[in-house]
Amino acid sequence: MTCTLVQSAFNPLRQFLVIVLLLVAFCANAQPDFVTNPSEKTDTNLIKTYLLRSRDLLDTHHDSSYYYLNQALIKSYNIKWSKGIISALTELGFWYYGSNTDLSIKYSNLALSEYYGRNSDNFSNVLYRLYNILAKAYETRGMVDSSAHYFYLMNDVIEEGKIPVKSYFALSLYTQLAYFWLNTNWDINGGYIEPTQYFISKAKIADEAMRKDSITELSFVSYSLQGAYYSSIGNEDSSRYYYLEYMKLRQKHKISNVTWDAATLLNIAETYLNQNQPGKAIEYINRELALKDALGTNVRYLVMGYLYLCKAYYLQKDYTRSVSTFEEVWQHYDRNDFQNKEMIDACQVAADAYAKLGILSKALEYKDIYMRLKDSLMKQDKIDMMNRLQIKYRISEKDKALAQQKLATTEAENRVRQRNVWIAGISFITLSVLALFLLWQRSNRHKQHLQQEKINSFQQQMEIAQLNATIAGEERERARIARELHDGIGGLMAGARMNFEMVKRNHHLENSNDYQDGLHLLEEASSELRKTAHNMMPEILLQEGLVVAVEYFCRKVGNNSPTRIHFQTMGKPRSFAPQFELTIYRVIQELVHNIIKHAKATEAMVQIGFSDAIFDVTVEDNGIGMPENILLTAKGIGLKSIADRIKAINGTMQIQNPPENGTSIYIEVVLKPENQA
């Protein structure tokens, strides 16, 4: 509401540009990522066979169904058969519905693009099915406005005479529109009873007309709609009666559809929940959950079943089971795919259950989520939009009566059309200038972005150079201390030992225990001094290379500690630059020492992997593990030193704690020319 007058004037221009850019981007990406082979022999009959096999296997062998769909799409592109391409993409949209809403919407939109791009106006059944998939997918995502748009586009297909009014498709449309209004408007007495009853009555007429000719999977659906209607107005007994009658009639006529069966069982359970009879509700919920294998990847009804179970446990005052059931759904399923009434109600139940358990932080968290989801679905602009669509639908039935009046306005429209041509020309020139300005501005921003990337890259290089300088200084200091220990103090201790040996011979102290203990301690000190000097600057690394040095280090440490250290290599070993090998050796040395000191492990493994472009190190143990955020909270310098060394060679490090305890540290370095030997 704060837009200026100038901004308001340019809003249509901005909208037009956005639409043009979106169309260009969509056309550029409309072709799906399938590999085709034009030389492969195929024909339309084979493609039809694949599509039929896919439909037959959809409920029983979901993966096989996808395989035949994929093959049908590839072969349709090979021979450029429009009907096969559109049909395969449409069935892929339906295949993903119930398991991955985003992919369902993606493939349905691709099918729509192919439909309009290939002039397939005589393929109306598929167009109706595409609108149906998109309407249901957007309804599942809680995008009520988009869902309503496609539901009424389905109605347009029927009203335009492309599909008979007395047909399976018409019955399906009126059924879904009735459910749409029931599910979208929770309080049916709040002013939305008229459109709901209107579509229920049309569905009932279509249902009865269809049953005179044949029985289909939608037969008797008017009973289910009546049950939903009575539940919406709070008459749960009547609602349950119609749901049970619906089940009996389907069983009598041997009508089987697992999704309708699951939905009906949940609807009956809901009537018991609304009457505070959780025990009876759980009976029907468990019957619905028993259909898990038959539902396959269509997890929508499983999620709803678990959410109803959460509410039933709450009504039984079993708050612990209520929140555990809710958390299971919340953690294992994509909540963005289920932003509907059931999920919103479940968030409120979870908040109340946590409050009963005294976990107020969780209660507040889910109360906040409940309020945000509810506000999102109940925004007044969405309700107003749907009312306008409903009015449009009701008015469209009277369009024929207004045809003569439209003829009288033809001449006036022609004059307006001429004026619009001038306006369009001026608008085109203005848009062209605006487009050039936007392109110039985009180019300028791109240049600024590149400049900022160069600055960031230079800063990163400076930081790595500083780290390399620091590490190089540390290594020089280690080398100096190692020489001092070995040549200085080591020499002094060797001389002292020789003097002690002379004293032993001159004074015959071979049998003196104190003297022998002192001489033994001196020998151990000399040995430890040599080991320390060797660890600070291992000569074996410089002489034999990284693999031999690490293997020797692991064997030596394993022999002198309660932890067994295993070492292995993957790939063909190769040599690297001395500084690179020294950095890797220091990292492994520090990690192994950390295991010995802190992990309380009995087994550890060091693995080095070689490939053309990647060098990796894995260090694992079966100890007590370490916190996930150890790199942020560690106060010691050990892990910080390791992280700095890895960063200096442009590597990355991951720390994981497997479920069976222990710690796994994975280091990966992308090899560069300066790393080579």
Side-chain angles (χ1 to χ4, degrees), residues 3-15 430-431 434:
C3 294
T4 62
L5 182 61
V6 175
Q7 289 172 324
S8 299
F10 277 90
N11 276 340
L13 301 181
R14 185 183 299 111
Q15 293 172 0
T430 304
L431 287 173
L434 182 60

Side-chain angles (χ1 to χ4, degrees), residues 454-656:
K454 290 180 180 179
I455 294 173
N456 293 338
S457 177
F458 177 74
Q459 290 176 345
Q460 185 178 10
Q461 291 175 2
M462 290 292 294
E463 184 178 353
I464 291 176
Q466 291 176 356
L467 285 173
N468 282 325
T470 302
I471 293 171
E474 291 178 357
E475 293 299 335
R476 286 195 297 271
E477 184 63 16
R478 283 174 178 261
R480 186 189 67 79
I481 294 173
R483 287 194 299 271
E484 291 291 338
L485 290 174
H486 186 273
D487 299 339
I489 300 176
L492 291 174
M493 294 188 73
R497 185 177 178 281
M498 292 174 63
N499 288 335
F500 270 86
E501 288 288 346
M502 291 176 64
V503 170
K504 181 179 71 172
R505 289 195 300 270
N506 293 335
H507 295 278
H508 307 288
L509 298 175
E510 290 84 350
N511 298 323
S512 174
N513 292 333
D514 293 338
Y515 181 85
Q516 291 294 340
D517 290 342
L519 185 60
H520 181 67
L521 289 174
L522 182 60
E523 290 176 349
E524 287 186 349
S526 298
S527 176
E528 290 298 324
L529 184 65
R530 285 194 301 274
K531 290 180 182 178
T532 302
H534 176 78
N535 286 336
M536 296 190 72
M537 185 50 64
E539 291 296 329
I540 191 173
L541 177 65
L542 302 177
Q543 296 173 2
E544 302 293 339
L546 179 64
V547 173
V548 176
V550 173
E551 182 179 14
Y552 174 77
F553 169 74
C554 292
R555 184 172 63 252
K556 184 180 65 174
V557 173
N559 291 337
N560 295 321
S561 69
T563 303
R564 294 182 60 191
I565 311 295
H566 304 278
F567 173 74
Q568 65 181 27
T569 61
M570 302 292 290
K572 184 179 180 180
R574 53 191 293 197
S575 299
F576 300 106
Q579 186 61 37
F580 182 84
E581 290 192 345
L582 181 58
T583 299
I584 296 298
Y585 181 83
R586 292 298 186 203
V587 168
I588 293 174
Q589 190 179 44
E590 185 66 33
L591 291 174
V592 172
H593 284 157
N594 282 346
I595 293 174
I596 301 300
K597 293 177 184 178
H598 308 296
K600 298 181 181 179
T602 60
E603 300 279 345
M605 194 261 305
V606 177
Q607 178 182 286
I608 298 178
F610 298 88
S611 66
D612 293 338
I614 300 294
F615 175 81
D616 61 85
V617 177
T618 303
V619 180
E620 298 178 338
D621 65 74
N622 62 349
I624 60 176
M626 63 174 65
E628 292 289 345
N629 58 348
I630 185 68
L631 290 175
L632 300 176
T633 60
K635 298 181 180 179
I637 63 174
L639 281 176
K640 185 178 183 303
S641 173
I642 293 172
D644 288 343
R645 289 179 183 273
I646 294 172
K647 185 177 181 180
I649 57 176
N650 292 301
T652 59
M653 178 172 67
Q654 296 179 355
I655 300 177
Q656 297 179 344

Side-chain angles (χ1 to χ4, degrees), residues 131-148:
Y131 289 155
N132 191 3
I133 296 169
L134 287 167
K136 298 299 292 182
Y138 282 121
E139 183 184 14
T140 301
R141 292 296 303 272
M143 301 171 68
V144 182
D145 46 356
S146 299
S147 179

Side-chain angles (χ1 to χ4, degrees), residues 125 128-129 154 158 163-165 167-174 176 210 218:
N125 287 358
Y128 175 94
R129 184 167 173 79
M154 292 165 60
I158 294 178
I163 292 178
V165 175
S167 66
Y168 175 90
F169 298 100
L171 175 58
S172 174
L173 169 65
Y174 299 137
Q176 292 183 86
M210 284 285 295
L218 279 180

Side-chain angles (χ1 to χ4, degrees), residues 7 23 49 117 151 287 295 330 336 404 480 519 524-525 658:
Q7 289 172 324
L23 286 174
T49 301
F151 272 127
R287 287 175 61 183
L295 287 170
W330 193 253
N336 292 325
Q404 293 181 351
R480 186 189 67 79
L519 185 60
E524 287 186 349

